Amino acid sequence: MKKLPMLMILMMTLLVSACGSKEVPNANNWETEDFSFIDQNGKDFSKSDLKGKVWVADFICTTVCLPMTANLIKLQQQLKDEGIKDVEFVSFSVDPETDKPDVLKNYGTKMNADLSTWHFLTGYDQAEIEKFALDNFKTLVKKPENETQVIHGTTFYLVDQEGTIIQDYSGTKDVPYEEIIKHIKILQNY
């Protein structure tokens, strides 16, 4: 007889915790290290500036990455259309020698990115961004010697309010906009 009430309490606890638990399925849960770089306005921008906000990140260059940026602009607009706020966009330049703040600002403006919530970052050397990308985002960034183009991935990364990379998605073909928005809503407890 004593087992029945205990079993009911256990079942109720599991039921309540399951109903309250909203997590992105198959989360990566990759921690990001602190960083402090320079944005398109020439100002310091760091991980702490993103604390408490959901963000979407990618790695770009300003020469051949137009489709990725156009796809993120589409996501940015869809979030606005759905009234979803407090989502930041962070694009790490893979070619910091070329992509100085003024170049990044011009690029973002030409692409019609809403720069109030989008941060195009530079202010590091090539070796630093290559290590940062691999260590944090598990992606390759590599500038071969005597080459002008940088090899890099074409993935979008969803990062939570604590700076943990939760999920990654295709950033070029068949971008799963609905899935990304659904995951953002989960992180924001929509």
Side-chain angles (χ1 to χ4, degrees):
M1 282 299 210
K2 290 184 179 179
K3 288 183 180 179
L4 186 58
M6 190 61 121
L7 183 60
M8 288 188 65
I9 290 171
L10 179 61
M11 287 176 56
M12 290 298 289
T13 302
L14 289 173
L15 182 63
V16 168
S17 65
C19 290
S21 175
K22 284 188 151 189
E23 294 184 14
V24 174
N26 304 310
N28 293 332
N29 293 319
W30 301 332
E31 297 297 322
T32 57
E33 64 191 43
D34 287 334
F35 62 84
S36 182
F37 301 136
I38 305 294
D39 72 7
Q40 71 271 10
N41 296 313
K43 296 184 178 179
D44 290 338
F45 188 85
S46 67
K47 180 179 171 183
S48 64
D49 292 311
L50 297 162
K51 181 86 169 152
K53 298 177 183 176
V54 172
W55 43 294
V56 180
D58 69 346
F59 291 84
I60 62 140
C61 58
T62 56
T63 54
V64 296
C65 294
L66 301 175
M68 284 178 57
T69 301
N71 289 339
L72 268 189
I73 289 169
K74 184 175 179 181
L75 176 63
Q76 189 180 46
Q77 187 59 52
Q78 287 178 1
L79 291 169
K80 283 181 189 177
D81 292 347
E82 290 204 28
I84 299 171
K85 298 178 180 173
D86 297 324
V87 178
E88 300 286 315
F89 292 82
V90 179
S91 292
F92 298 95
S93 169
V94 298
D95 192 3
E97 286 296 314
T98 301
D99 294 338
K100 302 299 183 194
D102 60 325
V103 172
L104 292 170
K105 186 169 190 171
N106 188 36
Y107 175 76
T109 301
K110 277 186 185 178
M111 294 294 294
N112 293 317
D114 178 350
L115 298 179
S116 68
T117 59
W118 200 321
H119 314 279
F120 290 91
L121 302 182
T122 189
Y124 34 76
D125 63 32
Q126 192 64 44
E128 187 177 1
I129 192 60
E130 290 176 9
K131 184 175 182 342
F132 177 80
L134 187 60
D135 291 352
N136 293 273
F137 292 84
K138 318 293 186 244
T139 192
L140 177 70
V141 170
K142 188 69 178 163
K143 186 170 189 175
E145 286 188 42
N146 303 317
E147 295 287 329
T148 57
Q149 293 300 316
V150 179
I151 300 166
H152 65 92
T154 57
T155 302
F156 294 158
Y157 301 90
L158 178 62
V159 186
D160 74 6
Q161 296 90 331
E162 300 301 316
T164 303
I165 300 164
I166 299 300
Q167 196 56 270
D168 57 283
Y169 317 88
S170 170
T172 52
K173 293 185 180 181
D174 301 319
V175 177
Y177 296 107
E178 289 180 15
E179 183 179 16
I180 297 170
I181 292 169
K182 177 182 171 186
H183 293 165
I184 288 170
K185 287 179 176 181
I186 291 170
L187 292 177
Q188 291 186 337
N189 295 317
Y190 247 73

